Amino acid sequence: MRRITYIIPVVVLGFAVLLSSVFVVDERQRALVLQFGQIRQVIEEPGLNFKIPFIQEVVYYDDRILSLDTTPIEVTPSDDRRLVVDAFARFRIMDVVQFRQAVGAGGIRAGEERLEGILNPTIRAVLGADGVTSNTILSSERSRLMDQITAEARLRAAALGLEVLDVRLKQTNLPIQNLEATFARMRAERQREATDERARGEEAAQRVRAQADRTVVELVSDARREAEIIRGEADAQRNGIFANAFGQDQEFFEFYRSMTAYERALMQRNSTMVISPDSEFFEYLGGSGLAVPAPIQ
């Protein structure tokens, strides 16, 4: 009984030691076996592995492609038009030993901070180079600039044991303090364009109105000329008709003409004529020589 009492703790202790000496590395990881902070073994293949319990420890690192969203930064292209750039990078741990030596016990979080410290200056340097304007960044040249940033960041990140696969610019915006000034400038430009359009429209309208007025004057002038011609021809025809008609009876013609003269001379109700009784004007009134008391209606 006493032997069993001693054997059970020994077996449990031995089982615990065995468990603490076994570790598994899966296909998504690589591992470092450390002994008192020093690297003793690099495990890059997945499977079951062993370590010295209580003396050695295992540090795992992700072997997959990782992504990093950088903090938005301001860049100043060569045209001095500041932009806020938001980028992201895809990377992987290329050399776990070199990565461990570069970041220490900080792990992947420290590696991301170091990598962001490489990406931000590289982005500023490439986007702020001579000949790179804000229009260049926003044009089809953007892809070439991102490839250049990727190449330079890859060279600098190699010292950390990292491989930068790609760097992309997610957003490129104006700083908030510049937005109002930009909007005001855009409104001024649109107002200027609208004023120019209105001026051109008014000029075109003036030309149309002037052409219409000239056309109206020409049409009215032609119409009046034709009307005068027609009126003249009508008067000539009327006079011809009257001449033919009155030529058949001369005495009636003289009587009609005198009656017409009386009517035109005494149009108003208070018209009074004082004229010699021997005047031919009263020939058809009997020649009495008296003043005419009232107009002929």
Side-chain angles (χ1 to χ4, degrees):
M1 181 64 67
R2 289 183 178 180
R3 291 185 60 185
I4 296 175
T5 304
Y6 290 112
I7 291 175
I8 292 176
V10 171
V11 172
V12 172
L13 179 61
F15 186 73
V17 170
L18 178 63
L19 287 180
S20 64
S21 65
V22 176
F23 65 94
V24 178
V25 177
D26 66 24
E27 62 276 5
R28 298 169 297 177
Q29 297 174 326
R30 284 186 286 177
L32 293 178
V33 179
L34 305 180
Q35 182 174 334
F36 304 115
Q38 301 297 320
I39 299 174
R40 293 304 182 187
Q41 186 179 3
V42 179
I43 301 175
E44 297 184 346
E45 297 296 330
L48 184 66
N49 297 274
F50 298 91
K51 65 181 180 63
I52 301 175
F54 310 115
I55 296 177
Q56 295 179 338
E57 62 174 331
V58 180
V59 179
Y60 297 95
Y61 293 98
D62 203 322
D63 195 32
R64 296 172 296 180
I65 295 176
L66 307 175
S67 63
L68 171 64
D69 289 324
T70 64
T71 303
I73 59 173
E74 287 191 9
V75 299
T76 305
S78 59
D79 58 355
D80 294 330
R81 187 179 181 182
R82 291 191 302 168
L83 298 173
V84 176
V85 176
D86 187 8
F88 78 93
R90 294 187 300 166
F91 68 98
R92 62 187 297 268
I93 300 174
M94 179 178 59
D95 189 333
V96 291
V97 175
Q98 191 174 6
F99 181 74
R100 174 72 184 189
Q101 292 172 348
V103 302
I108 192 63
R109 180 62 60 86
E112 289 178 347
E113 293 177 356
R114 296 282 297 274
L115 180 59
E116 186 171 1
I118 292 173
L119 291 174
N120 289 344
T122 303
I123 292 172
R124 284 196 178 97
V126 172
L127 300 186
D130 292 338
V132 178
T133 65
S134 56
N135 291 332
T136 305
I137 298 173
L138 300 175
S139 68
S140 59
E141 293 292 316
R142 182 189 185 101
S143 178
R144 179 183 61 81
L145 295 174
M146 290 188 292
D147 291 341
Q148 184 177 350
I149 293 171
T150 301
E152 295 185 11
R154 182 180 295 121
L155 290 176
R156 299 179 61 182
L160 300 177
L162 299 177
E163 180 185 8
V164 177
L165 303 176
D166 194 16
V167 179
R168 299 285 100 180
L169 302 180
K170 293 193 298 183
Q171 295 183 358
T172 305
N173 299 319
L174 291 172
I176 297 177
Q177 60 269 25
N178 293 351
L179 287 177
E180 186 60 34
T182 301
F183 291 154
R185 184 172 65 253
M186 293 172 64
R187 284 193 293 268
E189 292 176 355
R190 297 301 178 270
Q191 290 174 356
R192 179 182 57 79
E193 293 177 359
T195 301
D196 292 342
E197 289 294 333
R198 284 194 293 267
R200 286 192 289 269
E202 184 63 26
E203 180 182 358
Q206 290 290 347
R207 287 198 300 267
V208 172
R209 283 194 289 267
Q211 181 66 30
D213 291 342
R214 186 177 68 178
T215 302
V216 168
V217 171
E218 292 176 352
L219 291 175
V220 171
S221 177
D222 292 342
R224 288 177 178 173
R225 179 176 59 82
E226 293 179 0
E228 291 297 331
I229 292 174
I230 294 173
R231 188 178 294 111
E233 293 175 351
D235 290 342
Q237 292 179 2
R238 183 194 63 180
N239 292 335
I241 293 171
F242 282 162
N244 293 331
F246 294 145
Q248 297 177 7
D249 190 342
Q250 185 67 29
E251 185 178 355
F252 176 77
F253 173 71
E254 292 177 356
F255 172 77
Y256 178 80
R257 186 174 61 181
S258 297
M259 292 298 102
T260 302
Y262 296 155
E263 182 181 3
R264 292 178 179 176
L266 303 174
M267 289 297 293
Q268 301 297 329
R269 293 183 179 273
N270 60 352
S271 299
T272 303
M273 295 184 63
V274 180
I275 196 169
S276 172
D278 299 332
S279 173
E280 295 180 358
F281 187 75
F282 293 112
E283 178 180 0
Y284 290 95
L285 292 180
S288 62
L290 300 176
V292 179
I296 298 174
Q297 298 298 328

